[in-house]
């Protein structure tokens, strides 16, 4: 579904990704794990079109994403929940969620919000409250729902556990499991390998802008956990 080949990303003189190749197949949850600065966000941001690549290819459903705007990639079915959540603090929870459902008719937006509320009751309870008043974990639920509201074919989650207490890591994990049960294909990044490995089917360990190892969760577990404490 998503195929990245020999991807290079540079910020001026800084090389963020060097020859990175990964695959995400339909129905899988793939984990990108690695320490600070490993290049996880750069890879996600290159897939959504937020940063340009300096070589390599990205194909989604067999189509090259080269030259395609962020907006068109989103409409093509790539959903995204950013690192640090970035909810709109003064906008209501409902409006935050629906900001991801741009392009859908009012009716479809209402339907989308209704099933998201079923999945995450918090959204209904807090629908009219400004999202900035929510806790970090609650905001992460809003960010996940916003990313899901357009019913994407693949969902990119950049460090969904960042800064969260263990109880919220468990709740966000449950939320991700619910998305998996709906058949959502997921590419997620995490520094926290331990809880993330419980959710993934396959993964890649990144370090210094390169993929050090890729494989099943069992195959990468040891090196992923060793890297966690670097
Ligand atoms: N906008 C930018 N300008 C310059 N350098 C950047 C920029 N964004 C990232 N970098 C650099 O690119 C490299 C990869 O960073 P990236 O954010 O992709 O890593 P990461 O794995 O997501 O890290 P973290 O776990 O801290 O989020 C790092 O050396 C970082 O300093
Ligand atoms: Mg990052």
């Amino acid at each position: 579904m998503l195929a990245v080949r020999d991807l290079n990303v540079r910020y001026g003189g800084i090389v963020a990704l060097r020859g990175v190749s990964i695959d995400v197949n339909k129905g899988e949850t793939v984990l990108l794990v690695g320490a600070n600065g490993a290049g996880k966000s750069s890879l996600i941001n290159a897939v959504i079109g937020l940063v340009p690549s300096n070589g390599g290819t990205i194909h989604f459903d067999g189509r090259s994403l080269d030259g395609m705007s962020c907006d068109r990639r989103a409409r093509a079915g790539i959903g995204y929940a950013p690192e640090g959540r970035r909810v709109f603090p003064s906008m209501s929870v409902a409006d935050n969620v629906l900001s991801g459902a741009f392009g859908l008719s009012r009716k479809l937006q209402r339907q989308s919000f209704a099933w998201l509320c079923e999945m995450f009751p918090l959204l209904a309870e807090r629908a009219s409250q400004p999202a900035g008043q929510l806790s970090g974990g609650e905001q992460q639920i809003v960010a996940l729902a916003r990313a899901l509201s357009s019913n994407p074919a693949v969902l990119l989650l950049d460090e969904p556990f960042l800064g969260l207490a263990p109880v919220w890591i468990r709740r966000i994990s449950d939320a991700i499991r619910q998305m998996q049960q709906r058949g959502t294909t997921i590419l997620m990044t995490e520094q926290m390998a331990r809880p993330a490995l419980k959710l993934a089917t396959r993964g890649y360990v990144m370090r210094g802008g390169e993929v050090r190892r890729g494989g099943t969760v069992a195959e990468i577990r040891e090196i992923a956990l060793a890297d966690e404490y670097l």
Side-chain angles (χ1 to χ4, degrees):
M1 174 167 266
L2 192 64
V4 175
R5 291 291 173 275
D6 292 321
L7 189 70
N8 296 315
V9 167
R10 272 202 310 262
Y11 304 102
I14 298 165
V15 177
L17 293 179
R18 191 181 294 117
V20 168
S21 298
I22 70 157
D23 284 287
V24 182
N25 302 312
K26 198 167 161 50
E28 282 190 308
T29 295
V30 173
L31 171 66
L32 300 174
V33 66
N36 251 317
K40 305 179 299 294
S41 296
S42 298
L43 179 46
I44 296 283
N45 292 341
V47 172
I48 63 167
L50 210 54
V51 302
S53 65
N54 290 282
T57 60
I58 307 174
H59 283 83
F60 174 59
D61 265 346
R63 266 202 294 170
S64 171
L65 296 183
D66 206 30
M68 212 189 265
S69 66
C70 286
D71 188 53
R72 277 186 56 213
R73 293 183 201 205
R75 283 170 204 275
I78 300 177
Y80 166 64
E83 184 178 306
R85 308 177 260 283
R86 284 187 244 146
V87 299
F88 305 108
S90 60
M91 267 166 59
S92 72
V93 165
D95 286 345
N96 264 278
V97 171
L98 289 176
S99 72
F102 57 86
L104 296 188
S105 68
R106 276 289 172 84
K107 186 168 168 227
L108 285 176
Q109 286 193 358
R110 265 200 305 276
Q111 282 176 5
S112 175
F113 191 65
W115 72 254
L116 285 163
C117 285
E118 254 172 60
M119 185 144 82
F120 308 124
L122 169 94
L123 299 176
E125 289 156 20
R126 305 295 188 88
S128 56
Q129 195 173 342
Q133 293 177 359
L134 270 52
S135 74
E138 291 166 340
Q139 289 185 15
Q140 186 64 60
I141 295 282
V142 173
L144 293 179
R146 178 176 61 191
L148 277 175
S149 65
S150 59
N151 210 8
V154 64
L155 187 58
L156 312 182
L157 306 179
D158 198 356
E159 298 214 37
F161 300 150
L162 185 70
L164 300 185
V167 57
W168 271 104
I169 291 178
R170 280 196 296 277
R171 286 184 194 152
I172 298 301
S173 296
D174 288 342
I176 292 171
R177 284 195 191 91
Q178 288 199 57
M179 301 193 255
Q180 291 171 331
Q181 277 158 17
R182 290 188 75 246
T184 310
T185 305
I186 299 174
L187 174 63
M188 68 180 280
T189 79
E190 255 312 323
Q191 281 195 46
M192 280 194 258
R194 203 170 289 276
L197 284 166
K198 290 186 191 159
L199 297 167
T201 38
R202 277 189 322 112
Y204 299 89
V205 180
M206 296 186 66
R207 193 189 287 171
E210 293 178 317
V211 170
R212 290 211 52 213
R213 178 144 343 146
T216 64
V217 163
E219 285 163 348
I220 65 160
R221 175 180 303 276
E222 206 172 321
I223 172 171
L225 290 174
D227 255 34
E228 191 178 35
Y229 302 103
L230 289 181

